[in-house]
Amino acid sequence: RLENAWNSLVQHHDMLRVVIENDGNQRVLPFSQPIAATCHQFDNTADQNGEHTAKQWLYQQFYATSAKSQNNPEITEQLHHIFVASYRDLQAKTRCRIGIIFNYLTLDGFSIKLFLEQLSQTYLDPRPLPKKTDLLFRDYVNQITPSNEERQKAEKFWTEKLEVLPLRASLPLAIQPEQLTAPIFTRREHRLSEEKWSSLKAKAQQYQFTPSVVLLVAYSEVLRLWNGGKNHSINLTLFDRQPVHKNINTIMGDFTTLSPVGFYHQQNSTLIDIASATQREIADVLENKAISSIWIQRQRSSEMSLTAASLPIVFTSTLGLGNGLFEQVESGFPKMVAGGLSETPQVWLDHQVYEFDGELALSWDSVDDLFPEHMIDEMFDTYVSVIENLIQSDWSANLNLVLPAQQCVSRQATNATLQSRSVHTLHHPFFKWASKAPERTALIAEQTTLSYGELAYRARQLAALLIKQGLKPE
């Protein structure tokens, strides 16, 4: 049933039939081979490990598919996959866990939400889908481009902005990024209850902030702690579907662009101050989105290294992108559960926020091998604490976060580089050596060679002459 629903949607949406040619171009196939779910049965799991075993198997399929994609960049085969693991629970009842892998080269977050919503509807009611729209993603890509005026305006803005735009947060690293040949992503996730989420949204509305801005500020503040308190920039994901057609929100494709947002923290700033400044920064970014992060990174990499110019820390919010399957779960469709994972080239840490069944889902996908052990855990725990505290705290009070105690101890130990040393002027060691070994060679200048004893004698002669001429100490 799930396969049939999936294959119906593949024939309905052209971007689900895309393959990527050897030259990097995308080509839409007129027909795609029906997808077949890869299934595995775990029959001997009638214990508490059954669900865990199924989940681990699904993650293995994800990593295997990812590795295959990385090792074969010339993708000319199926881009999306369904995996099913069945197992027995404690009551010996057969259960299923389904894993779906999407390739983000052809679909953005909004498109995936739309697809899952339609998959649910088609699964529950397999009647023919509505008539196809006359608008295609290809039409949008080929026809909707910034005007010369928009691009020149954006280029002028970003050229001036680069003079003050901070670099990415310089988080402590365990290894250099170029040393990591096969990055593996890990997900951390937290749910904010419906009651707490409603309270946080109401408080944001009271101060005329969007919830996304408040979450971005909390994220930025935590990054600042591990960045030595310095300003930094975050790559912001923009879902840029311009309203050029009545059916623009019914087609699938990758409409995303990325733009850097500078995060600035002044001494004794309040959450209201920082959120107001961040909201203005985002407004400027949206006003000048004709230029993306790619252009900005290229400009900077010409003046510094590519790694220094990179923007590998990302914030992605799908809040406010419409009610769909995540927000209103369909009865009768397999229950959506936590445990997803995303990985993106050139990204070290991606924070994603979305609504799920009335709750707020907060997830961090990170390349843990880049960072010291447990550091991302501590950062994520701190971030969750900040979000929880925002519900009750006074936003007009100074916002001054502190590092976790263990992190402070670790930093103090690392920075304890003080060593005892004797205090002396620059010439004292020389005269000490001249007294100890006057015959040793001290100076070679063209045809002249002086020993320590000879050089010390001449230095004293010069000192006596200067004193005789009236030179005094200091």
Side-chain angles (χ1 to χ4, degrees):
R1 222 173 135 185
L2 188 66
E3 288 173 348
N4 290 339
W6 182 290
N7 291 321
S8 295
L9 290 173
V10 169
Q11 292 308 121
H12 189 76
H13 292 284
D14 64 317
M15 286 304 290
L16 296 175
R17 303 192 303 277
V18 161
V19 293
I20 301 174
E21 304 287 9
N22 295 346
D23 58 6
N25 286 320
Q26 298 181 1
R27 179 165 60 91
V28 177
L29 300 176
F31 176 81
S32 180
Q33 289 295 325
I35 195 169
T38 301
C39 304
H40 189 85
Q41 288 184 315
F42 295 95
D43 293 327
N44 301 316
T45 57
D47 54 41
Q48 67 272 21
N49 292 322
E51 182 178 344
H52 175 74
T53 301
K55 287 169 68 175
Q56 290 301 110
W57 181 81
L58 288 172
Y59 273 110
Q60 289 170 9
Q61 307 318 303
F62 170 82
Y63 289 124
T65 304
S66 171
K68 185 178 179 181
S69 175
Q70 289 181 21
N71 295 330
N72 179 26
E74 298 174 350
I75 304 170
T76 56
E77 56 181 44
Q78 179 179 310
L79 292 183
H80 316 296
H81 307 267
I82 304 176
F83 295 97
V84 181
S86 70
Y87 62 95
R88 296 184 185 277
D89 62 15
L90 289 171
Q91 289 73 39
K93 181 180 177 182
T94 299
R95 304 293 299 272
C96 273
R97 184 168 284 259
I98 301 168
I100 298 176
I101 298 179
F102 292 104
N103 193 305
Y104 275 19
L105 290 174
T106 58
L107 299 175
D108 59 17
F110 182 88
S111 296
I112 289 173
K113 288 184 70 174
L114 177 64
F115 177 83
L116 291 173
E117 181 182 355
Q118 294 184 357
L119 183 67
S120 166
Q121 294 167 353
T122 310
Y123 175 88
L124 296 171
D125 182 4
R127 289 180 297 180
L129 291 162
K131 183 181 177 182
K132 292 184 182 180
T133 175
D134 57 353
L135 176 68
L136 298 175
F137 180 68
R138 174 178 176 170
D139 301 328
Y140 185 92
V141 171
N142 288 334
Q143 297 177 35
I144 308 303
T145 56
S147 66
N148 289 335
E149 184 182 350
E150 289 174 318
R151 187 166 183 84
Q152 288 171 4
K153 174 177 169 291
E155 198 166 310
K156 181 177 183 297
F157 169 82
W158 283 112
T159 300
E160 294 173 357
K161 186 72 174 176
L162 282 176
E163 297 293 326
V164 295
L165 186 71
L167 299 175
R168 60 169 170 83
S170 297
L171 300 179
L173 297 177
I175 63 173
Q176 292 304 308
E178 56 270 20
Q179 295 176 271
L180 197 62
T181 55
I184 297 175
F185 283 72
T186 303
R187 168 160 289 195
R188 292 164 181 82
E189 190 164 42
H190 178 76
R191 295 289 183 83
L192 203 63
S193 70
E194 188 171 0
E195 180 183 358
K196 289 182 177 180
W197 175 221
S198 297
S199 298
L200 186 61
K201 284 191 290 186
K203 203 164 183 179
Q205 187 177 22
Q206 175 187 344
Y207 292 102
Q208 298 183 322
F209 300 137
T210 66
S212 292
V213 164
V214 174
L215 297 169
L216 174 58
V217 167
Y219 180 50
S220 301
E221 282 289 337
V222 171
L223 290 168
R224 190 180 73 88
L225 276 182
W226 271 264
N227 188 39
K230 299 190 290 290
N231 297 333
H232 59 91
S233 292
I234 292 175
N235 231 352
L236 185 67
T237 305
L238 304 177
F239 297 98
D240 187 22
R241 287 179 183 240
Q242 298 183 37
V244 295
H245 192 282
K246 63 179 180 180
N247 295 322
I248 189 64
N249 289 326
T250 66
I251 65 172
M252 297 182 189
D254 184 9
F255 293 84
T256 56
T257 58
L258 290 166
S259 286
V261 173
F263 179 76
Y264 309 88
H265 181 109
Q266 302 297 329
Q267 192 68 23
N268 299 323
S269 296
T270 68
L271 179 72
I272 297 173
D273 296 332
I274 301 169
S276 297
T278 302
Q279 196 151 272
R280 288 193 296 270
E281 285 285 318
I282 294 174
D284 287 341
V285 164
L286 294 174
E287 185 71 22
N288 295 279
K289 61 187 177 183
I291 292 289
S292 73
S293 287
I294 296 173
W295 184 91
I296 293 159
Q297 287 178 251
R298 284 173 178 165
Q299 291 294 109
R300 276 203 157 158
S301 64
S302 65
E303 302 170 3
M304 56 185 72
S305 71
L306 191 59
T307 301
S310 67
L311 292 164
I313 300 173
V314 182
F315 179 80
T316 305
S317 171
T318 60
L319 300 178
L321 291 184
N323 294 326
L325 181 64
F326 284 23
E327 293 83 2
Q328 299 173 351
V329 179
E330 293 275 5
S331 175
F333 186 71
K335 178 177 172 60
M336 299 286 291
V337 294
L341 182 63
S342 71
E343 59 176 39
T344 311
Q346 301 177 38
V347 168
W348 300 353
L349 172 62
D350 185 2
H351 177 24
Q352 301 165 22
V353 300
Y354 58 95
E355 270 192 320
F356 185 90
D357 200 12
E359 298 180 333
L360 174 66
L362 305 166
S363 65
W364 283 20
D365 291 338
S366 59
V367 184
D368 284 10
D369 288 345
L370 274 174
F371 306 104
E373 191 175 8
H374 305 308
M375 189 188 90
I376 300 297
D377 291 319
E378 291 180 346
M379 291 179 67
F380 185 70
D381 291 343
T382 302
Y383 172 70
V384 170
S385 298
V386 171
I387 297 298
E388 296 275 357
N389 289 335
L390 285 180
I391 299 169
Q392 303 295 335
S393 64
D394 179 7
W395 291 10
S396 62
N398 289 347
L399 184 64
N400 293 308
L401 305 183
V402 294
L403 282 167
Q406 186 57 43
Q407 184 68 212
C408 290
V409 170
S410 176
R411 291 194 175 201
Q412 288 169 359
T414 301
N415 290 321
T417 57
L418 186 64
Q419 295 180 357
S420 59
R421 58 187 177 89
S422 58
V423 179
H424 54 71
T425 57
L426 186 64
H427 65 282
H428 279 152
F430 167 80
F431 280 102
K432 185 177 180 181
W433 191 251
S435 174
K436 182 179 178 181
E439 74 285 354
R440 291 283 297 272
T441 299
L443 183 67
I444 301 173
E446 297 180 351
Q447 304 304 316
T448 303
T449 300
L450 294 178
S451 67
Y452 273 88
E454 292 169 331
L455 185 56
Y457 176 74
R458 294 195 182 191
R460 289 192 176 98
Q461 277 189 315
L462 180 58
L465 176 63
L466 291 171
I467 293 169
K468 186 177 180 180
Q469 297 297 323
L471 190 73
K472 293 183 170 54
E474 309 295 334

